[in-house]
Short mmCIF file of all heavy atoms in Angstrom, two decimals:
data_model
loop_
_atom_site.label_atom_id
_atom_site.label_comp_id
_atom_site.label_asym_id
_atom_site.label_seq_id
_atom_site.Cartn_x
_atom_site.Cartn_y
_atom_site.Cartn_z
N GLY U 1 67.70 10.75 -7.94
CA GLY U 1 66.66 10.91 -8.95
C GLY U 1 65.26 10.71 -8.41
O GLY U 1 64.31 10.56 -9.19
N TYR U 2 65.10 10.71 -7.09
CA TYR U 2 63.78 10.51 -6.47
C TYR U 2 63.12 11.85 -6.15
O TYR U 2 63.77 12.76 -5.59
CB TYR U 2 63.92 9.70 -5.17
CG TYR U 2 63.89 8.21 -5.36
CD1 TYR U 2 65.05 7.46 -5.26
CD2 TYR U 2 62.70 7.55 -5.61
CE1 TYR U 2 65.03 6.08 -5.41
CE2 TYR U 2 62.66 6.17 -5.77
CZ TYR U 2 63.83 5.44 -5.66
OH TYR U 2 63.80 4.08 -5.83
N HIS U 3 61.83 11.95 -6.46
CA HIS U 3 60.96 12.97 -5.86
C HIS U 3 60.47 12.34 -4.55
O HIS U 3 59.48 11.61 -4.53
CB HIS U 3 59.79 13.31 -6.79
CG HIS U 3 60.20 13.97 -8.06
ND1 HIS U 3 60.33 15.34 -8.18
CD2 HIS U 3 60.55 13.45 -9.26
CE1 HIS U 3 60.72 15.64 -9.40
NE2 HIS U 3 60.85 14.51 -10.09
N TRP U 4 61.19 12.60 -3.49
CA TRP U 4 61.03 11.78 -2.29
C TRP U 4 59.85 12.15 -1.39
O TRP U 4 59.40 11.34 -0.58
CB TRP U 4 62.32 11.82 -1.46
CG TRP U 4 62.80 13.21 -1.08
CD1 TRP U 4 63.70 13.95 -1.74
CD2 TRP U 4 62.39 13.97 0.06
NE1 TRP U 4 63.90 15.16 -1.11
CE2 TRP U 4 63.11 15.18 0.01
CE3 TRP U 4 61.50 13.77 1.11
CZ2 TRP U 4 62.96 16.18 0.97
CZ3 TRP U 4 61.35 14.75 2.07
CH2 TRP U 4 62.07 15.94 1.99
N LEU U 5 59.31 13.36 -1.51
CA LEU U 5 58.26 13.80 -0.59
C LEU U 5 56.91 13.22 -1.00
O LEU U 5 56.48 13.36 -2.15
CB LEU U 5 58.19 15.32 -0.55
CG LEU U 5 57.15 15.91 0.42
CD1 LEU U 5 57.48 15.50 1.86
CD2 LEU U 5 57.10 17.43 0.29
N LEU U 6 56.22 12.58 -0.05
CA LEU U 6 54.86 12.05 -0.24
C LEU U 6 53.96 12.59 0.86
O LEU U 6 54.43 12.92 1.96
CB LEU U 6 54.86 10.52 -0.20
CG LEU U 6 55.85 9.76 -1.09
CD1 LEU U 6 55.72 8.27 -0.84
CD2 LEU U 6 55.59 10.07 -2.54
N PHE U 7 52.67 12.66 0.56
CA PHE U 7 51.70 13.06 1.58
C PHE U 7 50.53 12.10 1.55
O PHE U 7 49.86 11.93 0.52
CB PHE U 7 51.20 14.48 1.33
CG PHE U 7 50.20 14.93 2.36
CD1 PHE U 7 50.61 15.39 3.60
CD2 PHE U 7 48.83 14.90 2.09
CE1 PHE U 7 49.69 15.79 4.56
CE2 PHE U 7 47.90 15.31 3.03
CZ PHE U 7 48.34 15.75 4.28
N GLN U 8 50.29 11.44 2.68
CA GLN U 8 49.15 10.52 2.80
C GLN U 8 48.04 11.21 3.57
O GLN U 8 48.23 11.68 4.70
CB GLN U 8 49.57 9.24 3.52
CG GLN U 8 48.45 8.21 3.61
CD GLN U 8 48.90 6.91 4.27
OE1 GLN U 8 50.07 6.76 4.62
NE2 GLN U 8 47.97 5.99 4.42
N GLU U 9 46.89 11.29 2.96
CA GLU U 9 45.76 11.97 3.59
C GLU U 9 45.35 11.25 4.87
O GLU U 9 45.28 10.02 4.92
CB GLU U 9 44.58 12.06 2.62
CG GLU U 9 44.84 12.96 1.42
CD GLU U 9 43.56 13.30 0.68
OE1 GLU U 9 42.50 12.82 1.11
OE2 GLU U 9 43.62 14.05 -0.31
N GLY U 10 45.08 12.06 5.86
CA GLY U 10 44.69 11.52 7.16
C GLY U 10 45.88 11.19 8.06
O GLY U 10 45.69 10.88 9.23
N LYS U 11 47.10 11.26 7.52
CA LYS U 11 48.28 10.94 8.33
C LYS U 11 49.31 12.06 8.31
O LYS U 11 49.45 12.80 9.26
CB LYS U 11 48.89 9.62 7.86
CG LYS U 11 48.01 8.41 8.19
CD LYS U 11 48.77 7.11 8.00
CE LYS U 11 47.90 5.93 8.45
NZ LYS U 11 48.62 4.65 8.34
N GLY U 12 50.08 12.17 7.22
CA GLY U 12 51.10 13.21 7.18
C GLY U 12 52.10 12.98 6.07
O GLY U 12 51.83 12.29 5.08
N MET U 13 53.30 13.55 6.24
CA MET U 13 54.34 13.52 5.21
C MET U 13 55.26 12.32 5.39
O MET U 13 55.57 11.91 6.52
CB MET U 13 55.17 14.81 5.27
CG MET U 13 54.37 16.08 5.02
SD MET U 13 55.40 17.56 5.01
CE MET U 13 55.92 17.63 6.74
N PHE U 14 55.72 11.77 4.28
CA PHE U 14 56.65 10.64 4.28
C PHE U 14 57.78 10.91 3.28
O PHE U 14 57.64 11.74 2.37
CB PHE U 14 55.94 9.34 3.89
CG PHE U 14 54.94 8.86 4.90
CD1 PHE U 14 53.60 9.24 4.81
CD2 PHE U 14 55.33 8.04 5.96
CE1 PHE U 14 52.68 8.80 5.74
CE2 PHE U 14 54.41 7.61 6.89
CZ PHE U 14 53.08 7.99 6.78
N CYS U 15 58.88 10.17 3.46
CA CYS U 15 60.01 10.21 2.54
C CYS U 15 60.15 8.81 1.94
O CYS U 15 60.37 7.83 2.66
CB CYS U 15 61.29 10.63 3.24
SG CYS U 15 62.77 10.49 2.22
N ILE U 16 60.03 8.71 0.61
CA ILE U 16 60.05 7.41 -0.03
C ILE U 16 61.43 6.75 0.08
O ILE U 16 61.54 5.52 0.16
CB ILE U 16 59.63 7.53 -1.52
CG1 ILE U 16 59.36 6.15 -2.12
CG2 ILE U 16 60.67 8.30 -2.30
CD1 ILE U 16 58.21 5.42 -1.49
N ILE U 17 62.50 7.54 0.12
CA ILE U 17 63.85 6.96 0.23
C ILE U 17 64.08 6.40 1.64
O ILE U 17 64.60 5.29 1.80
CB ILE U 17 64.93 8.01 -0.11
CG1 ILE U 17 64.63 8.68 -1.44
CG2 ILE U 17 66.31 7.36 -0.17
CD1 ILE U 17 65.62 9.77 -1.81
N CYS U 18 63.68 7.16 2.65
CA CYS U 18 63.82 6.67 4.03
C CYS U 18 62.93 5.45 4.27
O CYS U 18 63.31 4.54 5.02
CB CYS U 18 63.46 7.77 5.02
SG CYS U 18 64.60 9.18 5.01
N ARG U 19 61.77 5.44 3.61
CA ARG U 19 60.86 4.31 3.76
C ARG U 19 61.45 3.06 3.09
O ARG U 19 61.33 1.95 3.62
CB ARG U 19 59.52 4.67 3.11
CG ARG U 19 58.37 3.72 3.43
CD ARG U 19 57.88 3.90 4.86
NE ARG U 19 56.73 3.08 5.12
CZ ARG U 19 55.46 3.51 5.04
NH1 ARG U 19 55.22 4.76 4.70
NH2 ARG U 19 54.45 2.71 5.30
N LYS U 20 62.11 3.26 1.96
CA LYS U 20 62.67 2.13 1.22
C LYS U 20 63.79 1.47 2.01
O LYS U 20 63.87 0.23 2.08
CB LYS U 20 63.20 2.61 -0.13
CG LYS U 20 63.86 1.53 -0.97
CD LYS U 20 64.36 2.07 -2.29
CE LYS U 20 65.04 0.97 -3.10
NZ LYS U 20 65.55 1.49 -4.41
N HIS U 21 64.66 2.27 2.62
CA HIS U 21 65.82 1.72 3.31
C HIS U 21 65.64 1.67 4.83
O HIS U 21 66.59 1.32 5.55
CB HIS U 21 67.07 2.52 2.96
CG HIS U 21 67.42 2.46 1.50
ND1 HIS U 21 68.05 1.37 0.94
CD2 HIS U 21 67.20 3.35 0.47
CE1 HIS U 21 68.22 1.58 -0.36
NE2 HIS U 21 67.70 2.76 -0.66
N ASP U 22 64.46 2.04 5.31
CA ASP U 22 64.10 1.90 6.73
C ASP U 22 65.15 2.54 7.64
O ASP U 22 65.64 1.93 8.58
CB ASP U 22 63.93 0.42 7.09
CG ASP U 22 63.22 0.25 8.42
OD1 ASP U 22 62.45 1.15 8.81
OD2 ASP U 22 63.46 -0.78 9.10
N THR U 23 65.49 3.79 7.37
CA THR U 23 66.47 4.50 8.19
C THR U 23 65.77 5.15 9.38
O THR U 23 64.58 5.45 9.33
CB THR U 23 67.20 5.57 7.38
OG1 THR U 23 66.23 6.43 6.76
CG2 THR U 23 68.07 4.92 6.31
N ILE U 24 66.56 5.38 10.43
CA ILE U 24 66.01 5.97 11.65
C ILE U 24 66.82 7.21 12.02
O ILE U 24 67.94 7.40 11.57
CB ILE U 24 66.02 4.97 12.83
CG1 ILE U 24 67.46 4.55 13.15
CG2 ILE U 24 65.17 3.76 12.52
CD1 ILE U 24 67.57 3.67 14.37
N ASN U 25 66.23 8.02 12.87
CA ASN U 25 66.93 9.19 13.38
C ASN U 25 68.00 8.72 14.37
O ASN U 25 67.68 8.10 15.38
CB ASN U 25 65.94 10.12 14.09
CG ASN U 25 66.56 11.45 14.46
OD1 ASN U 25 67.72 11.53 14.83
ND2 ASN U 25 65.76 12.50 14.37
N PRO U 26 69.29 8.96 14.12
CA PRO U 26 70.34 8.44 15.01
C PRO U 26 70.34 9.07 16.40
O PRO U 26 70.93 8.52 17.32
CB PRO U 26 71.64 8.79 14.25
CG PRO U 26 71.28 9.95 13.38
CD PRO U 26 69.85 9.74 13.00
N GLN U 27 69.65 10.19 16.56
CA GLN U 27 69.66 10.86 17.86
C GLN U 27 68.59 10.31 18.79
O GLN U 27 68.88 9.89 19.91
CB GLN U 27 69.47 12.37 17.66
CG GLN U 27 70.61 13.02 16.86
CD GLN U 27 70.36 14.49 16.62
OE1 GLN U 27 69.27 15.00 16.87
NE2 GLN U 27 71.38 15.18 16.12
N ASN U 28 67.34 10.29 18.34
CA ASN U 28 66.25 9.81 19.20
C ASN U 28 65.65 8.48 18.75
O ASN U 28 64.66 8.03 19.30
CB ASN U 28 65.15 10.87 19.28
CG ASN U 28 64.63 11.26 17.90
OD1 ASN U 28 64.86 10.56 16.91
ND2 ASN U 28 63.94 12.39 17.84
N LYS U 29 66.27 7.86 17.72
CA LYS U 29 65.83 6.55 17.23
C LYS U 29 64.40 6.53 16.71
O LYS U 29 63.77 5.47 16.61
CB LYS U 29 65.99 5.48 18.33
CG LYS U 29 67.36 5.41 18.97
CD LYS U 29 68.45 5.14 17.96
CE LYS U 29 69.82 5.10 18.61
NZ LYS U 29 70.91 4.90 17.63
N SER U 30 63.87 7.68 16.35
CA SER U 30 62.51 7.74 15.81
C SER U 30 62.53 7.45 14.31
O SER U 30 63.58 7.49 13.67
CB SER U 30 61.88 9.11 16.07
OG SER U 30 62.54 10.11 15.29
N LYS U 31 61.34 7.19 13.75
CA LYS U 31 61.23 6.88 12.33
C LYS U 31 60.31 7.87 11.62
O LYS U 31 59.49 7.50 10.79
CB LYS U 31 60.71 5.45 12.13
CG LYS U 31 61.72 4.39 12.51
CD LYS U 31 61.26 3.01 12.07
CE LYS U 31 62.32 1.96 12.31
NZ LYS U 31 61.93 0.63 11.79
N LYS U 32 60.48 9.15 11.96
CA LYS U 32 59.72 10.19 11.28
C LYS U 32 60.08 10.20 9.80
O LYS U 32 61.24 9.99 9.42
CB LYS U 32 60.04 11.56 11.88
CG LYS U 32 59.50 11.77 13.29
CD LYS U 32 57.98 11.87 13.29
CE LYS U 32 57.47 12.17 14.70
NZ LYS U 32 56.00 12.23 14.75
N PHE U 33 59.09 10.44 8.95
CA PHE U 33 59.22 10.41 7.50
C PHE U 33 59.45 8.99 6.98
O PHE U 33 59.58 8.79 5.78
CB PHE U 33 60.37 11.31 7.01
CG PHE U 33 60.01 12.77 6.96
CD1 PHE U 33 60.31 13.60 8.02
CD2 PHE U 33 59.38 13.29 5.85
CE1 PHE U 33 59.98 14.95 7.98
CE2 PHE U 33 59.06 14.65 5.79
CZ PHE U 33 59.36 15.47 6.87
N ASN U 34 59.51 8.01 7.86
CA ASN U 34 59.71 6.62 7.45
C ASN U 34 58.40 5.86 7.65
O ASN U 34 57.53 5.87 6.79
CB ASN U 34 60.86 6.01 8.23
CG ASN U 34 61.13 4.57 7.87
OD1 ASN U 34 60.48 4.01 7.01
ND2 ASN U 34 62.08 3.96 8.53
N THR U 35 58.24 5.20 8.77
CA THR U 35 56.97 4.55 9.08
C THR U 35 56.06 5.45 9.91
O THR U 35 54.85 5.22 9.98
CB THR U 35 57.22 3.24 9.84
OG1 THR U 35 58.01 3.52 11.01
CG2 THR U 35 57.95 2.24 8.96
N GLU U 36 56.66 6.48 10.53
CA GLU U 36 55.88 7.46 11.29
C GLU U 36 55.75 8.73 10.47
O GLU U 36 56.75 9.28 10.00
CB GLU U 36 56.58 7.77 12.62
CG GLU U 36 56.79 6.56 13.52
CD GLU U 36 57.60 6.92 14.74
OE1 GLU U 36 57.81 8.13 14.98
OE2 GLU U 36 58.02 6.00 15.46
N PRO U 37 54.53 9.21 10.27
CA PRO U 37 54.35 10.43 9.46
C PRO U 37 54.80 11.67 10.22
O PRO U 37 54.74 11.73 11.45
CB PRO U 37 52.84 10.46 9.21
CG PRO U 37 52.25 9.75 10.40
CD PRO U 37 53.25 8.67 10.76
N SER U 38 55.28 12.64 9.47
CA SER U 38 55.61 13.94 10.06
C SER U 38 54.40 14.86 9.91
O SER U 38 53.88 15.05 8.81
CB SER U 38 56.83 14.54 9.35
OG SER U 38 57.07 15.85 9.82
N VAL U 39 53.95 15.41 11.03
CA VAL U 39 52.74 16.23 11.02
C VAL U 39 53.06 17.70 11.29
O VAL U 39 52.16 18.50 11.55
CB VAL U 39 51.73 15.71 12.06
CG1 VAL U 39 51.23 14.33 11.66
CG2 VAL U 39 52.35 15.67 13.45
#
């Protein structure tokens, strides 16, 4: 039930669900869409 896509000006795109549960990319261990914005 989440509208998960967010955009922070000056940074990039985030996912509110990934940010809430602090998930990481299992392949490269990055935190894109979490604490690191996707540009």
Side-chain angles (χ1 to χ4, degrees):
Y2 273 106
H3 294 271
W4 55 265
L5 182 62
L6 309 178
F7 180 80
Q8 183 177 357
E9 293 195 359
K11 290 193 175 182
M13 299 183 293
F14 293 92
C15 172
I16 192 64
I17 309 177
C18 294
R19 192 74 175 263
K20 178 180 179 181
H21 297 282
D22 195 27
T23 54
I24 61 175
N25 189 324
Q27 297 177 349
N28 55 17
K29 308 302 179 183
S30 69
K31 289 190 174 184
K32 290 291 184 182
F33 281 95
N34 180 1
T35 55
E36 301 175 10
S38 174
V39 294

